Amino acid sequence: KDFPDVELSHMYVDNAAMQLIRWPKQFDTIVCGNIFGDILSDEASMLVGSLGMLPSASIGESGPGVFEPCHGSAPDIAGENKANPLAMILSAAMMLRYDLDRPDEAQLLEDAVEAVLDQGLRTADIKQEGDGCELIGCVEMGKAVAAQVESLEMKSAVTV
């Protein structure tokens, strides 16, 4: 009732899992306990191709939130230049938008990630055989996004 523009719906987790596959656009935000959140986020990752693409946030009523990729730190591939940094970059965008009230900077990061993907750059987790995209590592992906941020900042400064 405090937020009349927000629609609230309750459902059991098994139904939520099915609905997530059936019609994912019906969800803007899903709030649930940790174990169900882990299960649903793993399922949702396949809608976008990989856990490496999903940012996440744990936001309470007071204090700062915790922003991290759904996949955590990926310790099984640490130091191998294989991890997909996009979920972490998108988690930083969420932090800018929801915790630091910096929507323009959040949009800049999101636009940079989209531009890099539009260029056909892919880490191993989202690369598909025959897709015509270039396979790159974590470091290269991070550098590509950073370059896009600089490029987009320049364009923004020129058009202002």
Side-chain angles (χ1 to χ4, degrees):
K1 67 184 171 189
D2 291 336
F3 302 94
D5 57 329
V6 175
E7 181 182 329
L8 174 65
S9 174
H10 295 271
M11 61 181 69
Y12 291 112
V13 72
D14 59 338
N15 184 36
M18 181 202 54
Q19 295 293 332
L20 195 55
I21 296 301
R22 185 177 150 268
W23 185 31
K25 289 187 176 189
Q26 71 182 294
F27 298 104
D28 178 57
T29 302
I30 298 175
V31 178
C32 56
N34 188 50
I35 193 160
F36 291 151
D38 284 349
I39 293 166
L40 293 176
S41 65
D42 283 359
E43 178 186 35
S45 73
M46 292 300 96
L47 296 172
V48 295
S50 169
L51 273 174
M53 295 298 297
L54 289 181
S56 74
S58 298
I59 305 172
E61 289 184 32
S62 64
V66 175
F67 300 85
E68 63 183 344
C70 279
H71 60 68
S73 61
D76 56 322
I77 56 172
E80 297 181 26
N81 196 29
K82 292 181 179 178
N84 183 338
L86 297 181
M88 187 65 242
I89 294 167
L90 294 170
S91 294
M94 289 178 75
M95 179 181 67
L96 287 165
R97 186 178 311 283
Y98 298 114
D99 236 19
L100 302 177
D101 195 26
R102 305 294 300 251
D104 293 340
E105 289 82 353
Q107 191 64 53
L108 180 64
L109 286 181
E110 292 163 354
D111 290 347
V113 166
E114 185 175 346
V116 166
L117 292 172
D118 286 349
Q119 291 172 7
L121 302 178
R122 300 289 187 270
T123 50
D125 61 314
I126 57 173
K127 176 81 173 85
Q128 296 181 351
E129 189 175 326
D131 64 5
C133 294
E134 179 183 353
L135 176 63
I136 61 174
C138 177
V139 172
E140 295 82 9
M141 183 64 85
K143 287 180 179 180
V145 172
Q148 277 299 318
V149 167
E150 288 181 17
S151 174
L152 292 168
E153 280 182 328
M154 292 270 213
K155 287 180 185 173
S156 176
V158 170
T159 60
V160 171

